[in-house]
Amino acid sequence: MKVLIVGGGGREHALAWKCAASPRVRHVFVAPGNAGTALEAKTSNVDIASDDIDALLAFAAREDIALTIVGPEGPLVAGIVDRFSAARRACFGPTRAAARLEGSKAFAKDFLRRHRIPTASYATFTPANFDPGFIRAQRLPLVVKADGLAAGKGVVICETHDSAIAAAKGMFAGSFGAAGNNIVVEEFLQGEEVSFIVIASDHQVVPLATSQDHKRRDDGDRGPNTGGMGAYSPAPIVTPEAHARIMREVVEPTVRGLRLDGTPYTGFLYAGLMIAADGTPNVLEFNCRFGDPETQPILMRLKSDLVALCESALDGSLGRIEPEWDSRAALGVVMAAGGYPENYRRGDLIEGLDTAARLPGKIFHAGTRASGSQIFTAGGRVLCAVGMGSTVGAAQREAYALVHAVHWNGVQYRRDIGYLAIERE
Ligand code: AMP
């Protein structure tokens, strides 16, 4: 069979690599892919943007693609699954209606409240009904969020009422484009952040191996928020008790609620959680797709066939599947371009990839571009170096050996990915 992966980041490189490893898969296409996916066995890139649904569908029909897996949220929120389904093409991901869980934070908050799933208290505003008096009456800090997709940037944590009002007005004025036409103002939650990712198929759910990412750019979880600077699996903070609570109080009521609302969910479902001191798993956000960079370490640990997992979710037999995991830990370090997450450098020559390829572990590409036999930076997050080991500490050593083999002008990465887990070991 032929598989199509939609997207071109590190997550999509990992998805493509894992699908290509399936004995049933003859070829994997990645649209648009990156310099790393172009080098994988049985894999090639297709020059179609991830949001060009017409062209993706035409390509899938022409190549008779048996399974399409969508990496990023954009095409999912835009309805790629509905379009493929209408053309009777298997496409793994939620429908447009179910993807609103990520596409609209106001929708997600109303959904959480309606189904009594723990989350921060909140109010939503449009420019027409915005009430600065509401903000002045709240306890600080306050969190102001743009309603729509803002590439992970539409969240402002405000220490004063004035800055919260300014953030709200900035969003209405277009600081996050159309994403800020509506806003959510919510209570600031204390606790420890955890990501929890499952494969859902209507009422059936298979939790993936636990993971945790590092969102801040600098060591010690300081500096600006990013798309993610590294991740590891398993996450020791998700104890068996926490796991059971998250399934019972968040995941199960979420898929049940989506079904009750007439929008059953199939696909990867990612809950960003803040675990309170009393163990309550409060939902910070939902993502309607796999996490990046969580995908890279999680798929390094997955021993089962990913294609079979996605197919069983699509045909309703997911409940019979128990994925098999490598008992070792996996840890990925993101190597980013100079300046990321603000204006970053592009076009720097990446050196040392050949040396790294001879070391244990694996480097997944994200923002890379090939020119002849050379590979250049072409995005903010450039590579994710994943190591494995009997402990998170051992996986970290393997990952950093890869990192140290690779270099380009302005490269930046954190030196402490996994430190919280390693402290617990
Ligand atoms: P989100 O995109 O909603 O997950 O927000 C991005 C980041 O902002 C999260 O990963 C948290 O670190 C932080 N955040 C969002 N909402 C809250 C909240 N209510 N309380 C504390 N931190 C938050």
Side-chain angles (χ1 to χ4, degrees):
M1 66 186 284
K2 296 191 222 171
V3 172
L4 171 64
I5 307 291
V6 176
R11 165 184 51 213
E12 288 77 21
H13 186 179
L15 288 167
W17 164 78
K18 189 66 195 164
C19 287
S22 166
R24 290 174 44 220
V25 171
R26 190 147 54 87
H27 200 80
V28 178
F29 295 98
V30 194
N34 56 42
T37 52
L39 293 173
E40 291 294 342
K42 295 200 290 191
T43 304
S44 52
N45 290 346
V46 189
D47 190 15
I48 303 175
S50 62
D51 58 359
D52 189 347
I53 297 175
D54 290 333
L56 292 167
L57 190 51
F59 177 82
R62 192 162 69 242
E63 287 290 341
D64 197 21
I65 300 290
L67 173 68
T68 297
I69 303 178
V70 185
E73 62 278 14
L76 292 166
V77 171
I80 188 170
V81 170
D82 310 62
R83 292 284 308 282
F84 271 62
S85 304
R88 304 203 172 281
R89 288 261 154 223
C91 187
F92 184 72
T95 59
R96 178 184 182 155
R100 286 179 74 195
L101 226 39
E102 174 166 7
S104 164
K105 289 191 190 287
F107 172 87
K109 294 295 289 190
D110 293 345
F111 172 87
L112 289 163
R113 179 151 67 188
R114 189 162 64 248
H115 295 288
R116 301 176 193 284
I117 299 164
T119 191
S121 65
Y122 73 104
T124 57
F125 295 103
T126 63
N129 74 0
F130 180 56
D131 175 14
F134 172 87
I135 286 187
R136 292 213 183 276
Q138 304 306 308
R139 261 200 319 215
L140 295 168
L142 260 182
V143 187
V144 181
K145 301 184 174 184
D147 177 54
L149 293 182
K153 296 192 187 76
V155 175
V156 187
I157 294 170
C158 303
E159 304 289 343
T160 66
H161 293 121
D162 286 340
S163 64
I165 292 167
K169 288 185 171 162
M171 286 178 189
F172 291 142
S175 56
F176 296 105
N181 290 349
N182 297 308
I183 64 164
V184 173
V185 177
E186 81 178 21
E187 164 200 16
F188 181 84
L189 295 172
Q190 309 280 353
E192 208 165 342
E193 250 183 283
V194 168
S195 29
F196 198 87
I197 308 172
V198 304
I199 294 183
S201 167
D202 197 347
H203 62 289
Q204 302 173 341
V205 179
V206 168
L208 299 179
T210 60
S211 64
Q212 194 153 20
D213 73 340
H214 291 273
K215 284 251 184 337
R216 303 292 204 94
R217 188 190 58 195
D218 303 328
D219 286 2
D221 294 312
R222 295 196 179 82
N225 249 317
T226 70
M229 294 300 287
Y232 53 92
S233 172
I237 180 182
V238 186
T239 58
E241 296 72 38
H243 196 281
R245 270 195 84 167
I246 294 167
M247 286 299 288
R248 194 172 61 240
E249 295 177 34
V250 175
V251 175
E252 284 159 12
T254 297
V255 295
R256 205 182 310 129
L258 285 159
R259 195 178 188 210
L260 279 173
D261 292 350
T263 54
Y265 193 103
T266 295
F268 298 111
L269 176 63
Y270 173 128
L273 305 167
M274 187 72 88
I275 309 292
D278 69 356
T280 303
N282 285 299
V283 177
L284 290 177
E285 62 163 346
F286 285 116
N287 293 321
C288 62
R289 33 83 190 169
F290 218 151
D292 188 344
E294 292 94 331
T295 304
Q296 294 87 316
I298 289 177
L299 290 187
M300 284 283 278
R301 294 188 60 215
L302 179 64
K303 287 179 152 177
S304 311
D305 187 331
L306 178 64
V307 171
L309 262 174
C310 294
E311 285 190 321
S312 56
L314 286 168
D315 72 18
S317 63
L318 186 66
R320 289 199 291 276
I321 302 240
E322 175 110 31
E324 233 192 294
W325 300 100
D326 193 317
S327 61
R328 289 176 299 167
L331 180 142
V333 178
V334 168
M335 302 179 73
Y340 178 76
E342 284 94 38
N343 285 332
Y344 52 80
R345 299 166 58 102
R346 287 165 203 260
D348 287 304
L349 175 66
I350 304 174
E351 292 172 292
L353 287 168
D354 294 350
T355 315
R358 291 191 289 273
L359 297 173
K362 172 140 185 97
I363 291 187
F364 293 103
H365 290 226
T368 61
R369 180 179 57 77
S371 176
S373 61
Q374 295 185 310
I375 295 180
F376 296 86
T377 66
R381 291 187 293 170
V382 177
L383 302 173
C384 179
V386 184
M388 298 191 73
S390 55
T391 59
V392 177
Q396 189 198 49
R397 281 192 291 282
E398 193 171 293
Y400 279 104
L402 288 169
V403 168
H404 295 145
V406 176
H407 181 78
W408 66 85
N409 278 338
V411 58
Q412 52 167 339
Y413 52 85
R414 282 181 55 163
R415 285 160 175 78
D416 65 348
I417 298 302
Y419 76 96
L420 289 170
I422 292 166
E423 276 168 16
R424 283 188 165 94
E425 278 176 343

